[in-house]
Amino acid sequence: MSQEANPFESLQEQIDDAAAYLDVRGDVIERLKNPERVLETNLSVEMDDGDIGVFRAYRSQFNGDRGPYKGGIRYHPGVTRDEVKALSGWMVYKCAVVDIPYGGGKGGIVIDPSDYSETELERVSRAFAKELRPLIGEDRDIPAPDVNTGQREMNWIKDTYETLENTTAPGVITGKALSNGGSEGRVEATGRSTMLTAREAFDYLDRDIEGATVAVQGYGNAGSVAAKLIEDLGATVVAVSDSSGAVYNPDGIDARDVKQFKNETGSVSGYRDTEALTNDELLTLDVDLLVPAALENAIDGELAREVQADMIVEAANGPLTPEADEVLTGRDVHVLPDILANAGGVTVSYFEWVQNRQRFYWTEERVNDELERIIVDAFDNLVEAYETHDLPNFRTAAYVVAIRRVVDAYDSSGNWP
Ligand code: NAD
């Protein structure tokens, strides 16, 4: 994976690319390219052996024109200030493209969670929640899970916030366990929107998803759910990977069974009847659909020249560098952008928040139906912009739709000095 592209610069480039097709003042666009504020803090936490561990952590509140800041918290050793800023900006445009009433935010802690015990991770999470307390709130900023965080961390953060505020406020964070105010359908939501985006794109491009071959890079929450739901549409998953490497079988890999294998053994490597590949080999397989579902910058300009897939649906955030985008556009490889394809996560987070505020909970069927309506509508809006403005690719179309919505909200509010 190339680490060359700075994700924050990639985001700014994507905004500029789309702004070229919009009649919006340059100073307004400049404002939309930078976060409103970024918290940088160092968490001091007592470790199990009595020593103090110090962990750098960030929360970026990028833009709140359309509603409270919204976005996940990532635990990863590679977290940087610029990465968090980029991820928070992508959240702004993601919420706008699916038209849910949120702005964008993101947080991260520089930590490899596999190096720490559960009690240490709880203390780290609660220390971060204490730092976040003045910034977050049901109507202010609503965190959620991201890479290496899930229901457990969300429950800890909610509990810390509620204890310190002496209240109950389940809507302060989403992605919680069902027993703690979570929503049906949240765990599968990101993979579900990836599947829905792939389904709509195949249909729009007059291609049959039944019988299509699929490779999935990154077999965590987003990737494994996308794989099984795309398999349910009749496609054949031929390769999957995680940080241990990739496995390939041209006759197909059972998406659910390989997940079960990963749960039991810790990785997809060594799965039965498969050939081992490197991650780069997976990304350049001759498949109908490639789903990058790991981290940013998985495909750079050089690798993009080797990509043989006909279509890429981005489950991960920012898996393509701007150079890769340019190469793939030139080669007529259709890329369905992250801000649509993985927007299911934040959309069902929105449903969770609505349910928390109303204290009335929906069935999984209702969640999935509402999600499908939102993703299909967003896809239709994106295609309309793509055709009307004769845009070079679907990413630019998504940003054109999203930036327009953010600018409309800003313009209609006026500017408070
Ligand atoms: P996860 O931690 O559950 O899974 C990530 C997977 O990627 C793991 O299997 C890991 O082994 C693998 N991986 C890491 N580096 C890799 C590499 N170099 N090559 C191949 N595989 C590699 O995380 P997730 O929640 O599934 O998130 C994955 C991506 O989806 C991230 O970009 C995240 O921001 C994005 N996303 C997730 C959600 C969500 O709700 N989970 C929502 C929107 C976007």
Side-chain angles (χ1 to χ4, degrees):
M1 187 183 295
S2 156
Q3 292 301 332
E4 284 159 32
N6 174 325
F8 183 56
E9 288 167 11
S10 299
L11 166 80
Q12 294 192 315
E13 230 175 293
Q14 289 161 350
I15 296 171
D16 280 335
D17 286 349
Y21 297 92
L22 283 164
D23 183 19
V24 178
R25 284 188 356 233
D27 52 343
V28 173
I29 293 296
E30 206 47 43
R31 186 180 162 269
L32 297 183
K33 284 166 59 181
N34 290 288
E36 291 174 12
R37 66 190 67 80
V38 182
L39 166 78
E40 178 174 336
T41 176
N42 293 294
L43 310 171
S44 299
V45 181
E46 190 177 332
M47 298 288 99
D48 290 345
D49 64 4
D51 282 356
I52 298 296
V54 179
F55 303 91
R56 179 150 305 167
Y58 306 95
R59 181 77 184 167
S60 167
Q61 297 182 329
F62 200 95
N63 180 283
D65 292 341
R66 300 182 72 257
Y69 309 101
K70 182 86 189 90
I73 296 176
R74 174 175 293 197
Y75 289 4
H76 196 276
V79 163
T80 64
R81 190 182 175 96
D82 271 1
E83 181 190 56
V84 172
K85 280 160 61 178
L87 289 163
S88 68
W90 282 320
M91 287 307 298
V92 176
Y93 301 105
K94 188 178 301 183
C95 293
V97 91
V98 288
D99 208 5
I100 58 175
Y102 287 140
K106 202 84 177 191
I109 305 182
V110 185
I111 186 172
D112 184 345
S114 63
D115 291 344
Y116 297 91
S117 70
E118 182 161 358
T119 50
E120 288 171 331
L121 290 174
E122 177 171 354
R123 287 195 292 277
V124 170
S125 302
R126 289 187 185 277
F128 194 31
K130 203 166 118 262
E131 288 295 312
L132 289 175
R133 174 165 73 133
L135 294 179
I136 63 176
E138 289 183 307
D139 291 311
R140 223 173 272 151
D141 182 352
I142 307 148
D146 191 66
V147 174
N148 292 329
T149 59
Q151 295 180 343
R152 185 181 66 171
E153 290 75 15
M154 301 306 108
N155 296 347
W156 288 332
I157 295 172
K158 167 181 170 280
D159 182 63
T160 308
Y161 179 85
E162 289 184 333
T163 304
L164 293 172
E165 292 286 328
N166 189 27
T167 189
T168 59
V172 71
I173 197 160
T174 58
K176 303 176 293 292
L178 272 179
S179 55
N180 217 334
S183 175
E184 296 285 356
R186 174 63 183 86
V187 172
E188 299 214 329
T190 303
R192 186 169 292 277
S193 63
T194 305
M195 173 277 287
L196 291 167
T197 303
R199 187 191 75 187
E200 294 303 298
F202 269 76
D203 190 44
Y204 174 69
L205 296 166
D206 252 341
R207 295 189 190 166
D208 215 348
I209 200 155
E210 213 178 318
T213 51
V214 187
V216 181
Q217 184 220 20
Y219 218 60
N221 174 285
S224 66
V225 173
K228 80 170 180 185
L229 296 179
I230 292 171
E231 186 182 75
D232 289 348
L233 297 176
T236 305
V237 176
V238 295
V240 302
S241 71
D242 58 22
S243 40
S244 72
V247 290
Y248 172 60
N249 180 344
D251 296 326
I253 294 174
D254 184 316
R256 287 174 174 81
D257 199 49
V258 69
K259 177 63 178 162
Q260 181 66 28
F261 179 83
K262 181 173 162 66
N263 289 347
E264 283 162 15
T265 65
S267 78
V268 298
S269 294
Y271 182 65
R272 64 179 166 79
D273 302 330
T274 58
E275 181 190 328
L277 297 181
T278 65
N279 259 298
D280 279 4
E281 284 169 336
L282 176 141
L283 293 167
T284 53
L285 279 175
D286 186 5
V287 287
D288 299 306
L289 170 63
L290 174 64
V291 179
L295 295 174
E296 300 93 74
N297 295 340
I299 303 180
D300 60 13
E302 203 177 314
L303 200 63
R305 291 181 186 87
E306 313 290 322
V307 165
Q308 295 185 71
D310 297 326
M311 191 191 299
I312 298 178
V313 176
E314 297 180 328
N317 284 309
L320 270 55
T321 65
E323 197 196 341
D325 243 350
E326 207 179 308
V327 170
L328 293 166
T329 300
R331 294 185 51 217
D332 289 331
V333 178
H334 296 288
V335 176
L336 278 299
D338 46 7
I339 60 170
L340 171 68
N342 69 29
V346 73
T347 304
V348 176
S349 272
Y350 166 54
F351 299 159
E352 180 176 333
W353 178 80
V354 168
Q355 294 169 75
N356 291 155
R357 309 305 299 273
Q358 298 185 336
R359 313 267 169 165
F360 177 77
Y361 289 84
W362 303 358
T363 62
E364 185 173 0
E365 193 185 1
R366 177 169 176 193
V367 168
N368 291 345
D369 286 351
E370 298 273 5
L371 174 62
E372 179 163 357
R373 180 183 59 76
I374 286 187
I375 298 296
V376 171
D377 281 356
F379 183 87
D380 290 347
N381 290 162
L382 182 152
V383 163
E384 194 189 329
Y386 178 69
E387 291 179 354
T388 315
H389 299 279
D390 195 18
L391 297 172
N393 53 45
F394 292 121
R395 190 187 314 282
T396 308
Y399 276 92
V400 162
V401 171
I403 293 172
R404 182 81 270 159
R405 287 184 179 148
V406 179
V407 169
D408 284 351
Y410 174 69
D411 278 349
S412 53
S413 303
N415 196 14
W416 182 257

